[in-house]
């Protein structure tokens, strides 16, 4: 990655869908995901997303799927959704071979800046699978707080993958944006 100029951020388009799906899958599922630290391969099998789901995020009103590029290559992405008084952060993926080098910190900081400055929201929300303690700790180091508020994992809906354990649920994390 060209660290002199940093990554470029732009709204994703329908033409980006195949590359975005491949990126998201590589960051979370299968053996390729094990090159990074965000893998869910030990708790979920199957797919993480699909072209229809990614396109729906791109086309949804009050939503933005951000494509992050370095040297003309897609290296990361994240979803931002304007939900009234807060923004939702999701679909966050960094190419596994680039994880751990600070790119994720840069992306989340830009997402927070955008939500605060462009949408005027003062809080960011996200949900994380509660057994992902390492990932939750990473978000806590970025200022996110565990709320203890959980929601059910969609067992039986293969769009979210095939769980390998029966104790999965999502936990809401929040951060004040200033």
């Amino acid at each position: 990655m060209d660290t002199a100029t940093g990554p470029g951020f732009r709204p994703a388009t329908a033409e980006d869908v195949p590359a975005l799906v491949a990126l998201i899958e590589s960051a979370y599922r299968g053996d390729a995901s094990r090159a990074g630290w965000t893998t869910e391969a030990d708790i979920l099998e199957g797919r993480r997303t699909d072209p229809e789901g990614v396109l729906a995020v791109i086309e949804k009103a009050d939503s933005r799927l951000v494509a992050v590029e370095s040297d003309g290559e897609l290296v990361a992405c994240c979803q931002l959704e304007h939900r009234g008084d807060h923004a939702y952060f999701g679909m966050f993926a960094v190419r596994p071979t680039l994880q751990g080098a600070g790119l994720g910190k840069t992306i989340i900081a830009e997402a927070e800046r955008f939500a605060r400055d462009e949408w005027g929201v003062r809080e960011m929300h996200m949900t994380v699978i509660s057994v992902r303690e390492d990932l939750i700790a990473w978000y806590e180091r970025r200022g996110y707080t565990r709320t203890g508020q959980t929601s059910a994992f969609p067992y039986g809906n293969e769009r979210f993958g095939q769980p390998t354990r029966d104790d999965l649920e999502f936990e809401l994390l929040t951060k004040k944006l200033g």
Side-chain angles (χ1 to χ4, degrees):
M1 188 172 84
D2 181 359
T3 55
T5 59
F9 299 88
R10 65 173 176 79
T13 66
E15 291 75 34
D16 295 315
V17 168
L20 288 164
V21 170
L23 171 68
I24 294 163
E25 293 299 315
S26 75
Y28 289 97
R29 302 291 163 79
D31 287 337
S33 70
R34 295 181 194 281
W37 66 273
T38 62
T39 184
E40 294 174 342
D42 295 330
I43 60 172
L44 290 159
E45 297 174 344
R47 67 182 182 196
R48 174 71 150 66
T49 192
D50 57 33
E52 296 79 18
V54 172
L55 185 60
V57 171
I58 290 171
E59 293 179 340
K60 185 176 183 178
D62 292 327
S63 179
R64 171 178 290 235
L65 187 56
V66 179
V68 182
E69 296 178 327
S70 180
D71 297 326
E73 287 186 43
L74 180 69
V75 295
C77 67
C78 68
Q79 169 195 9
L80 288 170
E81 188 173 313
H82 191 182
R83 295 183 177 177
D85 64 347
H86 71 274
Y88 178 80
F89 180 82
M91 208 175 279
F92 186 28
V94 174
R95 185 182 293 173
T97 56
L98 297 177
Q99 292 176 15
L103 181 58
K105 294 175 194 174
T106 301
I107 294 166
I108 199 165
E110 172 59 17
E112 292 165 358
R113 185 213 58 79
F114 179 90
R116 183 185 61 247
D117 296 352
E118 301 298 322
W119 289 341
V121 300
R122 295 289 174 238
E123 192 168 78
M124 187 78 84
H125 290 194
M126 68 173 71
T127 54
V128 179
I129 297 173
S130 62
V131 299
R132 300 287 319 279
E133 293 292 338
D134 55 344
L135 186 57
I136 291 171
W138 187 87
Y139 285 120
E140 287 179 315
R141 289 191 300 274
R142 313 274 95 60
Y144 286 81
T145 303
R146 296 181 85 156
T147 65
Q149 182 180 337
T150 61
S151 55
F153 186 87
Y155 284 93
N157 184 343
E158 289 196 14
R159 182 187 172 280
F160 295 95
Q162 301 157 351
T164 61
R165 47 193 290 177
D166 63 4
D167 62 344
L168 301 183
E169 62 185 356
F170 294 107
E171 182 173 351
L172 176 66
L173 278 63
T174 63
K175 179 179 180 179
K176 299 287 185 200
L177 298 180

